[in-house]
């Protein structure tokens, strides 16, 4: 596929079941492989045969997943290319709806197989738990609904990726405009914020229509599966066996009591340093001492080179992973028109190699995003020798984000590769303040999703009101006077709500794990990094609490746990205060 940034890739493992020459966009060539798998599964008469059958199944699934990933990557890299869009939608509309029922038949065959209960434990414990869960949830009538959901999500990405504004004679993406919100000129920042915010608000009606259609589809899926609401269905579908909606509510309360006060302290300090009576939405990312924005790199190649030096200092094996990705062109990092917003890491399941996508524009945040996505990539590389695809490809999301967020914190220990000492401490401070902000934002988004899907008959006005109430609870002291409507629809920018519902609290759970990895590294950096790498190599083969334990962390997100970790962040901020050239807010 010429629209991909990479070409031919090394083979992860030679195929033993899927033919070397096959068009994975042609169902007529795929269907016989599922037929053969069913026949072979029914014929398994020994545990060794059943285990070999599972590997064949994983091989076919990996080939199909990689085909899907390649088309998704191409689509997000070129949202304005009709041919690429058609290729992606063809797979979504004509291949995935055919594969889902066939995958279900294989899962049902496994669960009913007389040897299934004899598969050795703990090797297959998590695998069988997840298969049984999917079998219990599968409904034939949901396949078409899931296809429609994917198409609507793609429409959201296409619309978001196409948004630009004219600014001082140039067309700029909203991501490029975001960099100007760090400019010391308050009048400029306000102009930029208004251009970006109200460009997005021009699309309020299409975004609302897309979300209403998505919400209705999801509610139908939940009802088809026998659930009273989509939230409870989503928890089961996401395999959340280790925490409940009630635990999430406890997390929301803990953030309100333990984190929001720190956010308010940071905002008060920022307001005082800027010399303003109130903090406005365009004042939240500028340096409070009115220094010009940090400029970590001039172009993407420089960003990669400097990041490579960070990993060279941190760990040779991890450094080799990033170098391999660069050499194989598995990085698409620059921002441009026609590129989907955001950033992600996608594992090419058959090549067993990671790909990183992002929209860099020369900000400190870009450095953090690359460290973050590199953590995901290292996770994929650590587990690449695992032959069971679900263990290799699908660890619990809550732990995937420990891999990435830990790398932000561990990598920031060597941020001098981008800056001299004063700027390096400023970057560290920005990152730690961002953790506080992120915990509050995650609580807002997660609580919003709980409200949406437990109030199925809500109106658009009630939805906007619910969001505004959550902003009141978690967003601290920012003055939105005159922009109340923009505040009420701020959630339109959060792609997870549209594309991957209920995938968000994972960031907060993982942030708490990452803070523990970082705390461990301050006590014993060698052991902390060894534990981190050991836990990544487990992939998805163990339950979530055990993965956390392998990384040297506790799987807890109650008020007491959060209080301890937030106090550690405050302590680090105090140390950075003392190194600042000008007075900062005290803690």
């Amino acid at each position: 596929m010429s629209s991909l940034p990479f070409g031919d890739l090394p083979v992860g493992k030679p195929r033993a079941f899927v033919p070397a020459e096959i068009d994975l966009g042609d169902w007529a060539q795929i269907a016989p492989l599922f037929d053969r798998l069913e026949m072979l599964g029914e014929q398994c008469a020994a545990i060794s045969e059943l285990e070999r059958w599972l590997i064949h199944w994983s091989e076919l699934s990996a080939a199909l997943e990689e085909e899907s990933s390649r088309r998704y990557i191409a689509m997000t890299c070129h949202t304005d290319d009709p041919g690429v869009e058609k290729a992606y939608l063809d797979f979504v509309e004509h291949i995935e709806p055919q594969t889902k029922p066939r995958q279900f038949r294989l899962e049902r065959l496994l669960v009913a197989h007389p040897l299934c209960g004899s598969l050795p434990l703990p090797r297959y414990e998590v695998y069988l738990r997840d298969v049984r869960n999917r079998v219990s949830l599968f409904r034939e009538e949901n396949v078409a609904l899931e296809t429609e959901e994917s198409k609507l999500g793609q429409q959201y990405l296409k619309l978001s990726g196409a948004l630009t504004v004219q600014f001082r004679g140039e067309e700029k993406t909203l991501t490029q405009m975001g960099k100007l919100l760090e400019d010391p000129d308050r009048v400029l920042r306000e102009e930029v914020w208004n251009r970006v915010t109200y460009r997005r608000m021009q699309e309020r009606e299409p975004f609302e229509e897309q979300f209403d259609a998505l919400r209705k589809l999801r509610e139908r899926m939940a009802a088809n599966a026998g659930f009273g609401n989509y939230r409870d269905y989503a928890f089961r579908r996401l395999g959340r066996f280790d925490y409940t909606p009630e635990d999430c509510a406890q997390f929301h309360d803990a953030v309100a009591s333990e984190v929001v006060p720190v956010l308010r302290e940071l905002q008060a300090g920022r307001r005082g340093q800027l010399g303003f009576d109130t903090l406005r939405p365009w004042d939240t990312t500028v340096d409070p001492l009115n220094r010009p924005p940090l400029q970590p790199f001039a172009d993407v190649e420089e960003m990669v080179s400097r990041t490579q030096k960070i990993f060279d200092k941190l760990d040779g094996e991890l450094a080799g992973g990033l170098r391999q990705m660069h050499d194989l062109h598995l990085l698409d990092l620059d921002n441009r028109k026609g590129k989907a917003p955001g950033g992600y890491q996608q594992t090419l399941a058959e090549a067993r190699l990671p790909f990183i996508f992002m929209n860099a524009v020369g900000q400190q945040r870009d450095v953090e995003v690359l460290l973050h996505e590199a953590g995901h990539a290292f996770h994929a590389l650590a587990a690449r020798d695992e032959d069971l695809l679900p263990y290799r490809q699908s660890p619990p999301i809550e732990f995937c984000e420990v891999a990435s967020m830990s790398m932000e914190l561990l990598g920031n220990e060597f941020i001098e590769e981008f800056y001299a000492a004063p700027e390096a401490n400023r970057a560290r401070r920005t990152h730690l303040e961002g953790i506080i902000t992120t915990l509050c934002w995650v609580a807002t988004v997660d609580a919003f999703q709980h409200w949406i899907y437990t109030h199925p008959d809500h109106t658009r006005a009630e939805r906007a009101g619910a969001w505004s109430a959550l902003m009141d609870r978690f967003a601290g002291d920012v003055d939105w006077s005159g922009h109340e409507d923009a505040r009420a629809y701020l959630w339109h920018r959060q792609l997870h709500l549209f594309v991957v519902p209920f995938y968000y609290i994972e960031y907060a759970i993982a942030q708490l794990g990452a803070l523990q990895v970082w705390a461990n590294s301050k006590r014993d950096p060698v052991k902390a990094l060894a534990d981190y790498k050991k836990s990544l190599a487990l992939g998805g083969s163990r339950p979530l609490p055990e993965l956390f334990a392998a990384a040297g962390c506790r799987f807890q997100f109650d008020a007491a746990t959060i209080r301890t970790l937030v106090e550690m962040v405050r302590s680090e901020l105090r140390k950075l205060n003392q190194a600042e050239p000008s007075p900062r807010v005290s803690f």
Side-chain angles (χ1 to χ4, degrees):
M1 190 175 290
S2 60
S3 53
L4 288 167
F6 50 87
D8 293 335
L9 296 171
V11 176
K13 278 197 175 181
R15 291 177 177 175
F17 178 77
V18 179
E21 299 297 325
I22 183 173
D23 181 356
L24 291 167
D26 180 5
W27 180 249
Q29 297 184 49
I30 299 168
L33 297 178
F34 279 102
D35 295 338
R36 186 174 171 221
L37 268 178
E38 285 193 42
M39 179 190 70
L40 291 173
E42 291 167 352
Q43 294 174 351
C44 290
I47 291 294
S48 59
E49 293 176 3
L50 188 59
E51 289 185 292
R52 184 165 59 252
W53 178 75
L54 291 175
I55 299 302
H56 289 334
W57 182 5
S58 284
E59 183 186 309
L60 174 58
S61 297
L64 290 167
E65 281 202 25
E66 178 155 329
E67 183 68 21
S68 175
S69 293
R70 285 171 172 263
R71 293 178 187 227
Y72 179 80
I73 289 167
M75 183 272 293
T76 55
C77 289
H78 305 282
T79 61
D80 53 357
D81 186 323
V84 168
E85 179 183 20
K86 182 179 184 300
Y88 171 72
L89 290 176
D90 279 348
F91 198 86
V92 168
E93 294 174 354
H94 303 301
I95 303 301
E96 288 182 354
Q98 304 265 30
T99 62
K100 288 178 181 177
R102 299 306 300 266
Q103 292 281 14
F104 169 69
R105 281 164 57 174
L106 294 174
E107 290 179 332
R108 188 172 58 186
L109 187 159
L110 173 62
V111 168
H113 198 284
L115 293 175
C116 178
S118 300
L119 285 168
L121 301 177
R123 168 64 175 160
Y124 292 97
E125 174 190 355
V126 172
Y127 184 90
L128 293 174
R129 179 198 69 182
D130 293 346
V131 168
R132 288 169 178 141
N133 183 54
R134 288 193 295 272
V135 168
S136 71
L137 288 179
F138 182 83
R139 299 294 184 276
E140 184 79 38
E141 57 269 35
N142 278 348
V143 173
L145 300 182
E146 290 168 357
T147 300
E148 186 63 24
E149 183 186 28
S150 295
K151 290 166 64 178
L152 284 168
Q154 188 270 338
Q155 290 174 22
Y156 169 82
L157 292 173
K158 182 178 180 180
L159 176 57
S160 298
L163 295 182
T164 62
V165 296
Q166 288 294 324
F167 185 74
R168 301 189 176 178
E170 294 185 62
E171 184 181 33
K172 290 186 176 289
T173 66
L174 303 194
T175 303
Q176 289 168 339
M177 290 290 283
K179 183 178 180 180
L180 297 174
L181 291 172
E182 297 180 4
D183 195 283
D185 184 343
R186 196 184 198 196
V187 174
L188 172 66
R189 293 200 307 274
E190 182 176 2
E191 179 187 358
V192 168
W193 186 89
N194 275 293
R195 291 283 187 92
V196 169
T197 298
Y198 288 98
R199 177 65 188 92
R200 189 177 279 113
M201 283 289 281
Q202 288 175 21
E203 308 298 336
R204 180 173 74 179
E205 188 62 23
F207 283 142
E208 287 287 289
E209 288 177 357
Q210 287 173 357
F211 190 78
D212 281 337
L214 285 163
R215 178 173 60 85
K216 290 173 184 175
L217 281 174
R218 290 163 183 164
E219 288 165 356
R220 286 173 61 192
M221 285 187 254
N224 289 342
F227 287 80
N229 62 68
Y230 180 77
R231 181 197 65 180
D232 295 346
Y233 170 72
F235 265 66
R236 279 285 304 279
R237 183 178 58 82
L238 291 168
R240 290 181 174 173
F241 300 105
D242 301 299
Y243 62 101
T244 66
E246 292 71 30
D247 292 324
C248 294
Q250 183 185 51
F251 165 76
H252 305 153
D253 292 341
V255 169
S257 65
E258 307 299 331
V259 188
V260 171
V262 179
L263 176 66
R264 292 184 188 278
E265 290 175 4
L266 292 171
Q267 290 168 335
R270 167 177 289 273
R271 188 171 62 246
Q273 288 162 339
L274 288 168
F276 301 152
D277 293 332
T278 61
L279 204 62
R280 303 288 273 163
W282 46 88
D283 298 327
T284 58
T285 55
V286 65
D287 181 72
L289 299 178
N290 271 322
R291 293 169 292 191
L294 289 168
Q295 296 181 331
F297 56 89
D299 54 45
V300 162
E301 276 302 314
E302 183 184 354
M303 176 178 69
V304 174
S305 173
R306 292 180 183 275
T307 304
Q308 183 67 61
K309 291 177 181 178
I310 286 177
F311 292 132
D312 286 339
K313 288 186 174 180
L314 180 64
D315 181 80
E317 182 181 4
L318 300 181
L322 184 66
R323 190 172 291 108
Q324 179 186 32
M325 295 176 67
H326 180 263
D327 292 345
L328 293 173
H329 305 288
L330 290 167
L331 306 169
D332 189 330
L333 309 180
D334 61 310
N335 175 252
R336 58 182 180 270
K337 183 182 177 183
K339 191 174 180 181
Y344 63 78
Q345 179 271 322
Q346 187 97 353
T347 301
L348 297 157
E350 194 169 29
R352 306 190 185 200
L353 290 169
F355 169 82
I356 294 178
F357 169 101
M358 60 179 284
N359 282 274
V361 292
Q363 296 174 286
Q364 164 59 20
R365 180 59 187 152
D366 297 329
V367 177
E368 294 170 7
V369 170
L370 183 53
L371 291 172
H372 178 101
E373 300 303 343
H376 284 309
F378 298 152
H379 202 174
L381 291 170
R384 75 188 307 262
D385 291 335
E386 171 60 66
D387 288 329
L388 277 179
L389 181 66
Y391 284 177
R392 182 172 80 245
Q393 191 82 352
S394 305
I397 295 171
E398 297 85 349
F399 194 71
C400 290
E401 298 299 337
V402 172
S404 57
M405 291 179 167
S406 296
M407 197 45 56
E408 291 181 52
L409 289 159
L410 296 175
N412 262 340
E413 296 293 322
F414 303 99
I415 204 67
E416 283 83 2
E417 291 300 332
F418 281 92
Y419 306 107
E423 288 77 19
N425 283 336
R426 180 179 161 194
R428 291 188 179 101
R429 181 182 182 85
T430 299
H431 182 238
L432 292 177
E433 290 178 348
I435 288 174
I436 298 298
T437 304
T438 295
L439 289 171
C440 294
W441 179 254
V442 171
T444 310
V445 173
D446 189 62
F448 186 51
Q449 298 200 85
H450 283 255
W451 184 91
I452 287 170
Y453 293 109
T454 56
H455 294 78
D457 299 321
H458 69 261
T459 65
R460 290 183 181 180
E462 289 170 338
R463 186 163 67 214
W467 173 261
S468 296
L470 290 167
M471 288 286 287
D472 290 342
R473 186 183 185 196
F474 294 114
D477 300 320
V478 177
D479 180 7
W480 285 75
S481 299
H483 302 285
E484 288 81 2
D485 266 4
R487 184 178 188 255
Y489 293 95
L490 188 64
W491 61 273
H492 284 174
R493 75 183 192 185
Q494 191 63 60
L495 67 85
H496 299 72
L497 293 166
F498 290 81
V499 181
V500 278
F502 278 97
Y503 173 19
Y504 213 62
I505 195 173
E506 291 88 347
Y507 290 112
I509 295 172
Q511 186 67 79
L512 301 177
L515 286 169
Q516 293 179 71
V517 171
W518 187 44
N520 294 343
S521 75
K522 290 184 173 299
R523 291 188 292 268
D524 187 339
V526 174
K527 184 178 187 304
L529 191 60
D531 288 345
Y532 169 81
K533 291 167 63 177
K534 178 182 69 176
S535 66
L536 300 193
L538 292 172
S541 65
R542 301 306 307 141
L544 191 52
E546 291 185 31
L547 294 174
F548 267 68
C553 310
R554 291 177 299 138
F555 181 68
Q556 292 178 321
F557 43 102
D558 52 44
T561 299
I562 291 176
R563 185 180 308 123
T564 299
L565 294 172
V566 167
E567 183 51 44
M568 179 183 71
V569 172
R570 293 178 80 189
S571 174
E572 290 296 322
L573 286 170
R574 280 194 291 268
K575 293 177 186 176
L576 292 170
N577 277 348
Q578 294 167 5
E580 285 282 1
S582 301
R584 302 294 299 238
V585 61
S586 59
F587 287 91

